[in-house]
C-alpha cells in the first residue's frame, strides 16, 4: 500500500507539474491480477482497486493498517467499471455488472474479488474510510436501486456541462458512517464538470475519471480558488483533492467520473461556492 501525506495550500502553490502529479495523481489505478491501494493522510481515505484475472484476489489489511483485517475499523464503497465479476463477503456472493456498486460495512472480514472472464476482467474501484459503527452491506444496481431523487440532471449543452449525477452512497440511499460516493456521467458534447466550482472544508474528495477515449485528455483543476493549478489526466486515473482545493475538470471528450468523500459530514450540498469572477 502506497502512503501519501497531507498538503498545505501555502506549499502547493509553489509545486511544479511533477510535484503536483506525484502528490495528487494516481496513474495506474487498475493493475491486472493485483489489488492496488493508496492511503492518503487527508481524512485517511484509501483509494484503490482490485483487478482479478485468472485467480481470486483476497483483501487483506497489510502492515500499514495494523489491523487484523481490512475492515476491522473501516467501511468501503466499491464500483465495478470493468467486465462481469463477483465479490464474496463473509460467504455471501454478489455478482457485478458494469457500474454496479456495493457498500460494505465495518466488520466484514473475508472479502474476495473474482472476474467471470479473465480476458475482460472486472475492475473493482475502491474507496475506504475509517468507521465507528457497523452499517449493513448493501448492493447497488444504479438502474434499479438508486432513488429518483438521487439521480440528478444538471447543466445544459449550451454550457457544455449537461450531466447526470448518480448518488450511490449517502444518507437516505445507503447509510454509512462517513463515506459518500457516486458517479457523474457527462452527456455527449459536454466536457465540463463542477463549474462554477466550490470547496468544502468539511471533507476531502477523490475523483476517478473513466470512459475517456484513448486519444483524449482531462484537465483536472485544483488548488485554492485564487491559486488554481491543473493536472493532465487520462482514462482510469484518479486524483486526490484536499478539502481546501477546488475540484473541477474539462476535457477533449465527454467522460464519466466516480467521486468519493469522507470527512466531517455527509451533506452532499454542503459546499462553499466560488464565484467565477474570483477564480485566478
Amino acid at each position: 500500500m502506497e502512503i501519501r501525506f497531507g498538503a498545505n495550500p501555502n506549499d502547493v502553490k509553489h509545486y511544479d507539474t511533477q510535484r503536483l502529479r506525484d502528490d495528487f495523481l494516481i496513474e495506474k489505478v487498475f493493475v491486472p491480477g493485483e489489488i492496488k491501494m493508496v492511503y492518503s493522510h487527508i481524512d485517511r481515505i484509501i483509494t484503490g482497486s482490485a483487478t482479478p484475472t485468472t485467480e481470486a484476489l483476497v483483501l487483506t489489511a497489510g502492515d500499514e493498517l495494523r489491523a487484523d483485517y481490512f475492515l476491522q475499523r473501516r467501511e468501503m464503497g466499491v464500483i465495478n467499471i470493468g467486465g462481469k465479476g463477483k465479490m464474496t463477503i463473509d460467504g455471501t456472493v454478489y455478482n457485478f455488472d458494469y457500474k454496479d456498486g456495493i457498500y460494505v460495512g465495518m466488520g466484514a472480514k473475508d472479502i474476495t474479488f473474482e472476474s467471470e472472464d479473465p480476458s475482460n476482467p472486472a475492475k473493482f474501484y475502491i474507496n475506504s474510510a475509517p468507521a465507528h459503527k457497523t452499517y449493513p452491506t448493501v448492493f447497488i444496481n444504479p438502474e434499479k436501486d438508486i432513488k429518483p431523487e438521487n439521480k440528478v440532471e444538471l447543466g445544459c449543452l449550451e454550457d457544455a456541462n449537461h450531466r447526470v449525477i448518480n448518488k450511490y452512497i449517502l444518507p437516505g440511499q445507503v447509510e454509512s458512517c462517513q463515506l459518500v460516493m457516486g458517479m457523474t456521467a457527462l452527456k455527449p458534447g459536454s466536457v465540463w464538470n463542477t463549474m462554477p466550482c466550490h470547496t468544502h472544508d468539511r471533507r476531502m474528495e477523490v475523483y476517478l475519471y473513466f470512459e475517456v477515449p484513448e486519444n483524449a485528455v482531462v484537465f483536472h483543476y485544483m488548488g485554492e480558488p485564487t491559486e488554481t493549478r491543473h493536472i493532465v489526466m487520462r482514462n482510469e486515473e484518479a486524483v486526490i483533492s484536499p478539502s481546501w482545493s477546488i475540484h473541477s475538470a474539462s476535457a477533449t471528450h465527454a467522460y464519466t467520473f466516480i467521486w468519493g468523500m469522507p470527512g466531517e459530514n455527509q451533506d452532499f450540498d454542503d459546499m462553499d461556492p466560488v464565484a467565477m469572477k474570483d477564480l485566478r
Side-chain angles (χ1 to χ4, degrees):
M1 188 182 302
E2 180 186 351
I3 305 293
R4 299 201 188 182
F5 296 98
N8 187 312
N10 291 325
D11 296 330
V12 171
K13 64 185 179 183
H14 300 294
Y15 288 3
D16 63 12
T17 297
Q18 191 58 52
R19 180 66 186 275
L20 286 172
R21 295 176 68 85
D22 290 343
D23 279 19
F24 301 108
L25 178 64
I26 305 173
E27 290 187 87
K28 294 182 179 179
V29 175
F30 300 96
V31 181
E34 294 184 17
I35 291 176
K36 177 178 177 177
M37 297 289 183
V38 174
Y39 182 115
S40 173
H41 279 262
I42 303 173
D43 283 327
R44 298 192 178 273
I45 192 172
I46 293 176
T47 301
S49 68
T51 312
T53 51
T54 57
E55 298 181 356
L57 297 177
V58 179
L59 183 63
T60 62
D63 294 338
E64 294 84 0
L65 296 186
R66 296 293 192 271
D68 296 329
Y69 52 96
F70 189 85
L71 294 183
Q72 185 175 17
R73 297 184 295 273
R74 287 185 158 267
E75 60 186 356
M76 180 170 71
V78 180
I79 298 176
N80 175 37
I81 65 163
K84 292 180 182 291
K86 67 180 181 181
M87 285 181 66
T88 303
I89 303 170
D90 291 336
T92 301
V93 177
Y94 300 89
N95 293 300
F96 285 73
D97 285 323
Y98 189 58
K99 294 184 179 178
D100 283 345
I102 196 168
Y103 168 79
V104 188
M106 182 183 73
K109 291 184 179 180
D110 299 319
I111 300 174
T112 60
F113 303 88
E114 297 176 73
S115 291
E116 184 175 296
D117 179 3
S119 66
N120 181 30
K123 295 178 179 179
F124 295 101
Y125 176 65
I126 298 168
N127 281 175
S128 173
H132 58 273
K133 178 181 177 180
T134 298
Y135 285 94
T137 293
V138 179
F139 186 82
I140 308 152
N141 177 305
E143 299 304 319
K144 299 177 181 178
D145 300 327
I146 296 179
K147 299 175 182 178
E149 61 268 28
N150 289 323
K151 284 181 175 286
V152 182
E153 191 166 346
L154 295 175
C156 61
L157 186 57
E158 288 79 7
D159 292 335
N161 65 357
H162 190 193
R163 62 199 188 276
V164 177
I165 302 173
N166 292 276
K167 303 174 183 178
Y168 282 60
I169 302 169
L170 81 169
Q173 176 66 49
V174 173
E175 301 297 325
S176 66
C177 283
Q178 65 163 320
L179 182 64
V180 176
M181 196 171 180
M183 179 186 299
T184 299
L186 276 72
K187 297 286 189 177
S190 289
V191 296
W192 279 97
N193 79 74
T194 323
M195 186 62 78
C197 60
H198 60 263
T199 61
H200 30 67
D201 244 3
R202 277 67 59 194
R203 56 183 186 263
M204 62 86 71
E205 194 158 4
V206 175
Y207 278 4
L208 171 79
Y209 293 99
F210 69 107
E211 296 185 331
V212 180
E214 184 177 357
N215 63 346
V217 293
V218 176
F219 289 81
H220 177 83
Y221 303 104
M222 63 163 296
E224 294 176 287
T226 57
E227 287 285 351
T228 57
R229 303 290 185 271
H230 75 268
I231 298 176
V232 176
M233 299 179 61
R234 291 169 174 81
N235 190 43
E236 297 181 357
E237 294 183 343
V239 63
I240 298 167
S241 176
S243 59
W244 47 263
S245 175
I246 67 166
H247 34 285
S248 181
S250 62
T252 57
H253 191 280
Y255 54 91
T256 303
F257 65 100
I258 297 171
W259 40 267
M261 299 180 283
E264 190 67 28
N265 66 37
Q266 296 176 297
D267 181 0
F268 181 84
D269 294 322
D270 176 17
M271 305 173 187
D272 300 317
V274 179
M276 298 288 263
K277 65 181 179 60
D278 294 330
L279 283 173
R280 295 182 59 186

